[in-house]
Amino acid sequence: MNRCLLVFVVLLMPNASYAELSFEQMETLSSMPPSLKGEFTQEKYLSSLDALLVSTGTFSFQRDKSISWKTLEPIKSELLMTPTSIVSRQGARELARFEASSNPALSIFSELLFAVLTAEWEMLSNYFELTGQLKGEQWQAILIPVDTNIAQVVSRVELRGGTLLDELILHEGNGDFTKIHFRNRE
Amino acid sequence: MTKPHALSLKWVSMGWLLFVLTVSSLAIKQNPSFDSSILALLPKQTQQPIIQQATEKMAERFSKRLIIMLSGEDEEKVRLAVKTLAEGLANTANVSSVTWHIEDGAIERLQLEQFPYRFVVINKEIRARLLAGNYDEIKSLALTKLYSPLSVKSGSITEDPFRLFSELALHQNKGLNLQVNRSLLKVSGVETPTYILMVALSGEPFSTQLQQNVLGEVERNNRVLKESGIKLSMSGMLLHASAGAQQAKSEISTIGVGSLLCIVAMMLLVFRRLKPLLLTVLPVVVGCVTAAALTILIFGRVHLVTFAFGAGLVGVSVDYALHFLCERTVSPPGQVLKRLLPGLLLGLISSVIAYAVQAITPFPGLQQMATFSVIGLVASWLTVVLWLPILTQHDSLQPVMMADQLDVLRKKFPRVEEKPYFALFLLFCLGLSVSALWSSHSQDDIRLLQTSPADLLSEEKNVQTVLGVTSSSRFLMVSAKTLELSLQKEERLLSKLDELKKNGLISDYQALSLSLPSLKRQRENRELVRQLYRANLASFFMDLRLPFDVLSKAHSSFEGATGYLTPEVWRQLKISEQGKNFIVAQNNKAATTVIRLSGYFDDSVKEKLIAFSEKEDGVFYVDQIEEISDLMGRYRGEIMMWLSIAYLGVAMVLIFRYKADSWRVILPPLFASVFTLALLTQFGLGVNLFHLMALILVLGIGLDMGIFMAETDETVHTWLAVSLSSFTSLVAFGLLALSKTPVLHHFGMTVLVGLTFVWLLSPIMRKNNSRGVCL
């Protein structure tokens, strides 16, 4: 079900300077490692306070199973997402747990994040319109929600990547955004 | 001398015809509807009216709602199907609304309504942490959330730094396994894409018209859906109501036609002519039509079980015609009524007494049946007495062969008076039966009322499992002088329920006070949040390295949010639509709410719940299923009593006429009833309500048999008549034993066994009268 973070653009279109992208293309261009881990830097911009909340940490995912999101600075906490539940932990202590089935609002968002992080294009195509460009080895895509309920939460998603997804920006429409940059992936 | 008498008889007959026609056409004009809900037969006012009201309110959720689930591999096709079906249903009569589409921003609007009350309506877990002074945990949770990639749109950090509102909103949507997927309602946690629609019905699910309209539309869609590989499943009272009506209809047509054919064959075999058959059927038809017409006029609607019992009437009232015809085969036209009238009258009176007793009981179902059968009996009787003499005026005497053969058979029966050993044997059997009954259990299980086919039940269960609906019939009812006091009571109860939940004794509950806390609780909450702010707000903002003015902004935002969520304000909010289901009644004297308990729990938990509710004034534990079983038990007890009263009443009338010979009339049905019940318990069936209802019929037919035998000095053609009437009743009802509807099955079984016993016992208790064919 989950597809890929790898987009082998270069191999297929070595001479392309710019090209329009589509979900189908992303789909055919994608394959996916069974697991991946790395580091991230997350910047949350709060427009009302003009403040930037920066956090760093590590992430890892296992295809179809789970995504672990460990924030190390400035606080220590872990978010463990599986297709059926979301658990928030601090050390050994469980702060909150949600079953996807009992919490539709949250589960739809975690499903989306899951899809973005694991490049699940088919799932995303249900909710978004994609425009994008290829330039050499790099691609960038913009997702605009077509689903009105999603549009309430996210106004735009920007994705940038090469062989792997490098950067993700979620715009909330009110000026707030969350920017995540991935590094040192293996 | 006979001329004016015959003439007036003719006029009376015409008058009777006119009456029957008028009543029938009036009833047809009423456009009668038929009930198939067994519950409609049970009394309404057996418990406190407020509990009744609560029960009805809870039942309404199920009875007026139909859930349709569509699933298929091709998600887009399923979505399209949802749209098509929803639009079709929205335009169907009897559908008040179809929920399938969530409007833009509906969920967000729903939640934002509550934002102003974030400091007074707070999540249960947060409150527990506040009460325990676990401020650091709340702070950590808020920080985690703030840094989580998942939290967007969680509101301003100054207005709600600790994310109290998003915590509340997150926990509020518990319930069904549903998510909004591109504006449609998608079931979560299943492999195959599955969407649902919820249909609200504008009328009673038992209305045949409504069933045809709504299910017809669904079926029309389903034919198309099947071709495109989409599976449709449903859940709702409507389906059961419709299946019940279908089953009753098909059984009436198969069993009904079967028994009719048997009766026709038998009549032709005995009389070897068509006319007696028609003459036997005529009074029965007139009786049924008149009874149905008048019952509809009196009660507005007639229950299917009333009709089943009405069919019982056929068995009894056929007696009158049979006696008339059997007597007519040996007597000239003028003589027949003269000979028969005393017996016919006594037969009518005894049966009317036996049936009419039910009308005095406090059960609407029995009252309806009593009305139906008494009217039917009287109408059949009048038809026999008034019309049959005219219709058979020119028939010749024609003794029936069968009468003599039956008589020979009867004379082979041992007579108790001649065979003391046999009498002892009967008494022994009676003793054995009574002792068997004494030790037997009764069965008042609600499953007796369950008439739905198994596949429908499993479909229902499947839909409920997938959706995570817990259809529970158990709840706590909370009453107090005002809604505020009710809510406070609820809150006290909920803390106890939480304990049970923590120990895994109950799975969950739903209550109004979760979304609308009492004002007392709201003030408490505000105070708790104030303490949290005092203790941790400054350090929270320090951790985030936010400018100092943010802290004062947050404080003033808290002080500015002074509003409380009063019931009046709450009623203006959209979220109150769901919550209103929890309010059973509210006026200036009292307010009543319910706490729904979901999932299965055992008797020990039930005891605990009852103990809780008894400690608190105005709290009741209600179990609808148990309620109904209790009701059936009480119903059974009542019928037992009224049946005994009927026997006593009839015995008195009989003693007045037959003196010492009364036992010959009353003992056969009495013994037969006891034997039958004892036998049924031996087959592992507990005695239930419907067995006893059938015994009323056994009494009626048994009495007729005894009375006619006594009245005519046990002539051969009387024996023929009573045998014929027993046989017709046996066939008419006994075949109901084949019914899949438990109610009718038990009824039929009892009549089958009971009447056979009556027929066997009657000749055993006969007078020693060896007179041959009369005249």
Side-chain angles (χ1 to χ4, degrees), chain A residues 126-163:
Chain A
N126 285 332
Y127 298 99
F128 297 95
E129 244 164 32
L130 179 136
T131 53
Q133 290 167 333
L134 280 172
K135 190 187 177 187
E137 297 185 357
Q138 295 295 309
W139 57 267
Q140 70 177 71
I142 293 174
L143 300 175
I144 305 284
V146 284
D147 181 81
T148 44
N149 282 298
I150 304 262
Q152 303 288 324
V153 189
V154 182
S155 65
R156 187 161 50 105
V157 184
E158 289 177 41
L159 302 168
R160 247 186 291 279
T163 47

Side-chain angles (χ1 to χ4, degrees), chain B residues 37-49 51-53 55-56 299 303 358-369 449 624 627-639 642 689-690 693:
Chain B
S37 159
I38 303 282
L39 295 183
L41 290 174
L42 300 176
K44 294 241 163 13
Q45 294 297 333
T46 58
Q47 31 182 224
Q48 287 189 42
I51 297 184
Q52 182 67 35
Q53 210 176 329
T55 312
E56 272 167 23
F299 292 94
H303 198 280
Q358 328 306 319
I360 315 167
T361 61
F363 298 102
L366 281 189
Q367 287 165 4
Q368 209 185 66
M369 284 183 221
L449 301 180
Q624 284 167 279
E627 205 68 46
I628 292 170
S629 298
D630 277 359
L631 203 59
M632 282 173 53
R634 241 177 303 157
Y635 220 153
R636 181 175 46 76
E638 292 264 332
I639 290 198
W642 290 111
L689 188 61
F690 307 103
M693 280 173 23

Side-chain angles (χ1 to χ4, degrees), chain A residues 42 44 49 51 55 69 74 77 79 90 93 95 98 103-104 107-109 126-127 147-149 152-153 172, chain B residues 104-105 108 129 137 140 144 146-153 157 170 174 178-183 546:
Chain A
Q42 176 187 283
K44 264 203 172 196
L49 303 175
S55 57
W69 192 265
S77 77
L79 199 61
Q90 194 158 48
R93 199 165 42 143
L95 285 176
F98 297 101
N103 207 298
S107 74
I108 189 91
F109 195 70
N126 285 332
Y127 298 99
D147 181 81
T148 44
N149 282 298
Q152 303 288 324
V153 189
E172 293 182 35
Chain B
D104 297 357
E108 201 186 35
R129 282 172 181 153
E137 214 169 281
S140 300
T144 315
L146 206 51
Y147 285 110
S148 157
L150 281 183
S151 64
V152 286
K153 277 283 157 89
I157 199 164
L170 272 178
K174 273 189 184 170
L178 280 182
Q179 57 181 12
V180 179
N181 183 302
R182 286 181 290 150
S183 308
L546 288 174

Side-chain angles (χ1 to χ4, degrees), chain B residues 147-282:
Chain B
Y147 285 110
S148 157
L150 281 183
S151 64
V152 286
K153 277 283 157 89
S154 41
S156 154
I157 199 164
T158 50
E159 285 176 356
D160 186 17
F162 293 110
R163 297 298 185 245
L164 300 177
F165 175 67
S166 70
E167 224 12 59
L168 178 75
L170 272 178
H171 287 90
Q172 228 165 31
N173 291 322
K174 273 189 184 170
L176 303 179
N177 297 340
L178 280 182
Q179 57 181 12
V180 179
N181 183 302
R182 286 181 290 150
S183 308
L184 299 191
L185 301 168
K186 185 177 183 181
V187 178
S188 48
V190 285
E191 283 277 304
T192 323
T194 304
Y195 287 82
I196 70 151
L197 302 91
M198 278 188 231
V199 183
L201 307 172
S202 62
E204 287 297 321
F206 292 101
S207 145
T208 337
Q209 191 59 44
L210 185 143
Q211 289 169 10
Q212 279 167 6
N213 286 340
V214 178
L215 294 177
E217 177 65 23
V218 172
E219 198 37 54
R220 211 175 52 75
N221 274 274
N222 197 18
R223 255 173 265 145
V224 185
L225 294 179
K226 264 186 201 148
E227 282 166 24
S228 46
I230 293 172
K231 192 175 163 249
L232 182 145
S233 30
M234 297 189 273
S235 150
M237 191 66 201
L238 175 64
L239 304 168
H240 299 279
S242 160
Q246 291 277 325
Q247 190 169 297
K249 262 188 220 154
S250 89
E251 282 180 356
I252 285 171
S253 58
T254 54
I255 299 178
V257 167
S259 57
L260 197 66
L261 285 179
C262 282
I263 293 170
V264 168
M266 182 196 69
M267 292 294 288
L268 289 178
L269 191 74
V270 172
F271 291 102
R272 298 177 193 276
R273 277 182 304 149
L274 196 60
K275 193 173 173 186
L277 172 64
L278 297 178
L279 290 177
T280 323
V281 173
L282 179 72

Side-chain angles (χ1 to χ4, degrees), chain B residues 375-562:
Chain B
I375 294 172
L377 272 183
V378 174
S380 292
W381 193 88
L382 284 173
T383 309
V384 170
V385 173
L386 294 175
W387 293 357
L388 256 53
I390 298 171
L391 293 172
T392 57
Q393 229 164 9
H394 306 294
D395 291 2
S396 55
L397 300 184
Q398 201 173 29
V400 177
M401 294 265 292
M402 192 72 85
D404 294 325
Q405 291 163 1
L406 264 175
D407 195 49
V408 172
L409 179 68
R410 173 174 68 131
K411 297 230 166 83
K412 284 186 183 150
F413 278 61
R415 279 183 66 237
V416 280
E417 283 150 295
E418 285 164 1
K419 302 231 162 72
Y421 289 115
F422 193 74
L424 277 177
F425 171 70
L426 273 184
L427 284 175
F428 174 73
C429 287
L430 188 72
L432 204 67
S433 302
V434 169
S435 80
L437 280 178
W438 201 259
S439 60
S440 77
H441 61 285
S442 52
Q443 192 197 17
D444 303 313
D445 198 318
I446 190 165
R447 267 167 295 184
L448 278 175
L449 301 180
Q450 182 59 268
T451 58
S452 295
D455 55 340
L456 184 61
L457 289 175
S458 76
E459 177 178 328
E460 171 92 47
K461 202 169 174 203
N462 179 41
V463 171
Q464 298 205 345
T465 315
V466 168
L467 274 179
V469 185
T470 40
S471 67
S472 171
S473 59
R474 295 179 274 204
F475 58 90
L476 291 170
M477 198 189 77
V478 184
S479 282
K481 279 198 178 123
T482 63
L483 188 58
E484 168 67 18
L485 290 174
S486 272
L487 291 171
Q488 288 183 18
K489 245 183 229 181
E490 269 197 17
E491 282 153 359
R492 284 195 292 274
L493 286 167
L494 293 196
S495 66
K496 288 172 182 164
L497 290 181
D498 279 331
E499 251 168 66
L500 292 181
K501 200 177 146 185
K502 215 168 78 188
N503 296 330
L505 294 174
I506 60 169
S507 69
D508 209 358
Y509 61 81
Q510 290 104 41
L512 177 62
S513 55
L514 292 181
S515 56
L516 175 65
S518 67
L519 289 174
K520 181 173 170 250
R521 174 62 58 95
Q522 292 188 34
R523 285 191 200 101
E524 260 174 50
N525 287 346
R526 204 178 145 75
E527 204 40 52
L528 287 169
V529 175
R530 188 191 298 281
Q531 283 164 24
L532 169 73
Y533 269 43
R534 231 176 259 155
N536 269 22
L537 193 60
S539 72
F540 176 76
F541 284 129
M542 288 243 279
D543 285 356
L544 289 171
R545 297 182 190 87
L546 288 174
F548 196 69
D549 65 317
V550 174
L551 179 65
S552 61
K553 266 191 202 162
H555 272 300
S556 62
S557 168
F558 174 76
E559 296 305 332
T562 52

Side-chain angles (χ1 to χ4, degrees), chain B residues 323-324 327 336-345 708 712:
Chain B
H323 282 296
F324 186 93
E327 187 68 35
V336 182
L337 267 190
K338 230 179 250 169
R339 285 167 191 262
L340 276 184
L341 212 52
L344 282 178
L345 203 58
F708 278 104
T712 58

